[in-house]
């Protein structure tokens, strides 16, 4: 896969027409049940439209509800019946194989090789064994892990483990990939490599992605749209399109201006 050409603007989906939506928050309210009654989360009667075929990044202070929001998008948390998450024109009622989530911890199976871990993602797909082998080979090549196919997780670096987790998720050909601070444990050099990789993979597959992060640079560099969540009840304090070519240069005035704006809100 070729490296990103920083002279070209990011692809803007829906140019000249209304963009397709992958999610719509329709008066989304999340409360957590306890023995003494429901405890409200910061997410109360929220409305938002998230476009398909793009990377949307979500930032915010700890406790603002961003991870709760991500898990609700994945169907792992059920909202109140006064509203919810609309996916494919229907309110979500639970997880679906079309939406895959990657967590901060890679959750690889230590007894399986890289190849075995990635192939595990195909367990629910009825394909010929030869087709599966081809699919595994192709996805490993796309994340640069062909040479590591026979290695076990304990033999891998942190970046290689996360690339394996990403490959295992993408081999299922999901409609949506949700990422919950997937690169927070990596050093800055590896992080930036992963930023390039995830952007290239999105452009190659067209998969809609939503990523939660604490890293302002990561949010701007990776995202096509940056959302900053804050307050209680929560609202989107910043909602910025970052598809302009200048946003690919972390030293450009536009990039630095947005970085300063975001930091003034969350720090």
């Amino acid at each position: 896969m070729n490296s990103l050409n920083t002279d070209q603007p990011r692809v803007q989906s829906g140019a000249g027409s209304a963009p397709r939506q992958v999610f719509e928050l329709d008066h989304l309210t999340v409360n957590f049940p306890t023995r003494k009654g429901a405890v409200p989360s910061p997410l109360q009667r929220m409305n938002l439209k998230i476009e398909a075929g793009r990377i949307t990044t979500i930032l915010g202070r700890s406790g603002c509800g961003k991870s709760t929001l991500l898990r609700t998008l994945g169907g792992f948390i059920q909202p109140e019946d006064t509203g919810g998450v609309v996916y494919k024109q229907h309110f979500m009622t639970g997880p679906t194989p079309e939406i895959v989530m990657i967590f901060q911890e890679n959750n690889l199976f230590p007894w399986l090789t890289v190849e075995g871990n990635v192939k595990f993602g195909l367990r629910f797909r009825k394909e010929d064994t030869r087709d599966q082998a081809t699919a595994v080979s192709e996805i490993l090549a796309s994340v640069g892990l062909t040479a590591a196919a026979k290695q076990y997780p304990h033999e891998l670096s942190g970046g290689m483990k996360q690339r394996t987790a990403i490959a295992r998720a993408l081999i299922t050909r999901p409609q949506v990939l949700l990422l919950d601070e997937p690169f927070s444990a990596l050093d800055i050099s590896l992080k930036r490599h992963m930023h390039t990789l995830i952007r290239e993979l999105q452009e190659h597959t067209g998969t809609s992605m939503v990523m939660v992060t604490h890293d302002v640079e990561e949010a701007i560099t990776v995202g096509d749209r940056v959302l900053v969540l804050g307050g209680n009840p929560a609202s989107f304090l910043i909602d910025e399109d970052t598809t302009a070519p200048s946003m690919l240069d972390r030293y450009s005035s536009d990039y630095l201006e947005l970085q300063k704006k975001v930091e003034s809100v969350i720090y």
Side-chain angles (χ1 to χ4, degrees):
M1 188 173 296
N2 295 329
S3 298
L4 291 175
N5 183 343
T6 56
D7 294 328
Q8 296 297 320
R10 299 176 182 179
V11 175
Q12 301 188 41
S13 62
S17 62
R20 294 186 303 115
Q21 296 169 23
V22 64
F23 291 118
E24 181 176 358
L25 309 187
D26 184 357
H27 294 84
L28 173 69
T29 296
V30 175
N31 296 323
F32 298 113
T34 68
R35 291 181 180 179
K36 297 182 179 181
V39 175
S41 81
L43 308 182
Q44 301 292 316
R45 299 185 64 80
M46 298 194 72
N47 296 292
L48 181 74
K49 295 178 181 179
I50 299 177
E51 296 87 358
R54 307 179 83 195
I55 304 177
T56 301
T57 54
I58 303 174
L59 288 151
R61 294 177 179 175
S62 295
C64 73
K66 56 187 182 297
S67 288
T68 298
L69 174 57
L70 198 69
R71 285 166 170 76
T72 306
L73 294 178
F76 303 110
I77 294 176
Q78 292 305 302
E80 297 296 302
D81 58 13
T82 53
V85 176
V86 178
Y87 174 71
K88 289 191 172 180
Q89 300 181 331
H90 297 282
F91 281 106
M92 292 186 65
T93 57
T96 165
E98 294 183 0
I99 302 174
V100 176
M101 190 161 181
I102 295 177
F103 298 92
Q104 183 175 344
E105 297 297 328
N106 53 71
N107 295 323
L108 299 179
F109 300 114
W111 59 87
L112 294 179
T113 62
V114 167
E115 187 177 62
N117 269 283
V118 173
K119 187 176 181 180
F120 185 82
L122 293 171
R123 65 196 185 283
F124 297 123
R125 278 175 44 189
K126 296 178 180 179
E127 291 186 3
D128 184 274
T129 302
R130 289 170 297 179
D131 293 336
Q132 287 193 359
T134 299
V136 171
S137 177
E138 289 176 350
I139 198 69
L140 287 179
S142 73
V143 297
L145 287 175
T146 300
K150 303 300 182 182
Q151 291 183 278
Y152 288 87
H154 72 272
E155 300 175 287
L156 306 177
S157 67
M160 293 171 75
K161 290 177 182 177
Q162 283 301 74
R163 279 186 279 158
T164 303
I166 291 170
R168 184 173 63 185
L170 289 178
I171 200 169
T172 66
R173 296 197 288 267
Q175 297 294 308
V176 183
L177 185 63
L178 306 176
L179 303 104
D180 192 3
E181 300 190 58
F183 312 133
S184 60
L186 305 182
D187 63 39
I188 187 64
S189 178
L190 275 176
K191 265 191 180 186
R192 289 180 175 175
H193 176 74
M194 296 303 293
H195 296 166
T196 300
L197 175 65
I198 206 72
R199 284 279 317 284
E200 289 180 337
L201 289 172
Q202 193 284 324
E203 291 170 5
H204 179 70
T205 63
T207 305
S208 303
M209 299 185 184
V210 182
M211 183 171 76
V212 160
T213 177
H214 276 99
D215 187 326
V216 178
E217 179 184 295
E218 179 169 85
I220 298 173
T221 301
V222 175
D224 298 305
R225 181 187 187 188
V226 174
L227 298 170
V228 178
L229 191 64
N232 194 358
S235 63
F236 293 101
L237 307 177
I238 294 175
D239 182 350
E240 292 280 348
D241 183 279
T242 53
T243 55
S246 58
M247 289 300 177
L248 293 172
D249 178 4
R250 64 176 57 89
Y251 302 109
S252 73
S253 59
D254 289 342
Y255 188 109
L256 294 173
E257 182 179 345
L258 179 56
Q259 184 175 3
K260 183 178 180 180
K261 179 179 179 181
V262 172
E263 289 177 350
S264 71
V265 171
I266 65 173
Y267 295 149

